[in-house]
Amino acid sequence: MRTPILAGNWKMHKTIAEAADFAAQLPAEDPAPGVEKVICAPFTALAFLAEKLRDTPYRLGAQNMHHEEQGAYTGEISPLMLKELGVQYVIIGHSERRQYFNETDDAVNRKVKAALAHGLKPIVCVGESLAEREEGRTEEIVRRQTEAVLEGITETEAKEIVIAYEPVWAIGTGRSSTAEDANQTIGQIRRVIAGKVGETAAQSIRIQYGGSVKPDNIASFMAYPDIDGALVGGASLTADSYLSLVQGATAVGR
Ligand code: 13P
């Protein structure tokens, strides 16, 4: 039985003051027991949120990190630094990082290994672009990306990984994938995982959908048992909407 996981990805939004305002609106009582609730904030807000969210039902995530523990990498943040803050999750290989910061499959794999080595749970993003989808290459692209994520990873390590299937054309566009299509691709991802690290890991790894998920469509995704939650950008930015999403991630029958 996989625990649903709803993660907000704030991207490059929210000053510390804005993060404080958001945190102040979170109820002390767990809004959705049985759902893992994660907030992936910008680096600058992490220290503040780590204090604020301590002993609450909410877990803290970062949005990127370097794969080395330390070194001459100006402007970068290491897994040790995140761990020290009390960060538990880290998004790796988001399509915006692949697209704007030239992150390759190989770099993503190195970061995944570094996160696991430091006890951080990676939320690793895979997904095809619009052109790739129109060329009928969705399966090929997510296979390549998923295999690269898992290169050199043991079955035990793999169980700690969360995969987010985020079709690039659905991100921030208001145009989500249909739940049926997302479920189909997520099923393919699970088969790729099984082939690469074994069936047990494939059944344990949580796979989220991401791309224009909103409070009013989350239930349609959660209705599919292979979809274990969502990675949400825009709709995670207000506390009201975030809370509706975490409640929506408690799908009937789970
Ligand atoms: P939106 O929810 O804004 O489409 O963003 C999705 C995303 O990229 C989450 O990582």
Side-chain angles (χ1 to χ4, degrees):
M1 192 68 173
R2 297 182 295 267
T3 305
I5 173 165
L6 191 292
N9 173 11
W10 284 356
K11 308 193 178 183
M12 198 173 70
H13 293 283
K14 293 198 191 294
T15 59
I16 296 174
E18 288 164 343
D21 187 48
F22 182 102
Q25 294 177 59
L26 297 175
E29 199 177 321
D30 194 335
V35 175
E36 212 163 319
K37 298 160 280 291
V38 185
I39 295 170
C40 298
F43 289 132
T44 47
L46 289 177
F48 169 83
L49 285 171
E51 282 297 311
K52 262 306 197 231
L53 301 182
R54 179 172 302 149
D55 301 325
T56 74
Y58 307 94
R59 314 256 167 104
L60 187 58
Q63 301 172 12
N64 178 36
M65 61 168 216
H66 197 277
H67 67 275
E68 294 283 358
E69 287 186 355
Q70 58 184 3
Y73 301 104
T74 302
E76 291 292 303
I77 302 284
S78 85
L80 277 184
M81 296 166 183
L82 294 180
K83 196 68 191 160
E84 183 188 37
L85 286 176
V87 167
Q88 289 163 291
Y89 284 88
V90 57
I91 298 173
I92 290 176
H94 192 280
S95 63
E96 287 150 15
R97 297 215 54 90
R98 293 178 189 256
Q99 185 179 351
Y100 305 131
F101 303 96
N102 303 317
E103 269 186 29
T104 60
D105 283 341
D106 186 48
V108 169
N109 176 249
R110 270 179 281 150
K111 290 181 182 202
V112 170
K113 285 180 177 151
L116 292 170
H118 289 87
L120 294 161
K121 291 184 201 284
I123 300 177
V124 197
C125 304
V126 299
E128 81 287 0
S129 68
L130 183 58
E132 289 161 345
R133 184 176 190 85
E134 285 174 346
E135 290 161 10
R137 296 174 59 212
T138 299
E139 186 171 353
E140 169 204 333
I141 299 298
V142 298
R143 168 179 293 278
R144 189 204 75 214
Q145 292 175 335
T146 306
E147 285 182 341
V149 167
L150 297 171
E151 197 56 51
I153 303 275
T154 66
E155 178 156 23
T156 311
E157 287 172 329
K159 292 178 186 168
E160 300 299 313
I161 297 174
V162 176
I163 304 250
Y165 167 56
E166 298 206 314
V168 179
W169 48 270
I171 295 176
T173 57
R175 181 183 161 197
S176 62
S177 166
T178 64
E180 195 180 352
D181 274 359
N183 183 60
Q184 191 187 344
T185 304
I186 285 173
Q188 284 163 1
I189 293 171
R190 231 179 260 295
R191 286 192 288 281
V192 172
I193 297 169
K196 191 85 180 155
V197 282
E199 188 58 35
T200 314
Q203 290 311 319
S204 304
I205 288 185
R206 290 171 299 169
I207 308 181
Q208 302 170 305
Y209 167 75
S212 297
V213 175
K214 311 277 177 221
D216 64 7
N217 64 13
I218 177 102
S220 67
F221 292 103
M222 295 308 293
Y224 285 90
D226 253 333
I227 305 182
D228 301 315
L231 181 59
V232 187
S236 75
L237 289 171
T238 65
D240 269 2
S241 177
Y242 177 75
L243 290 166
S244 301
L245 287 164
V246 299
Q247 281 159 351
T250 321
V252 186
R254 275 177 195 256

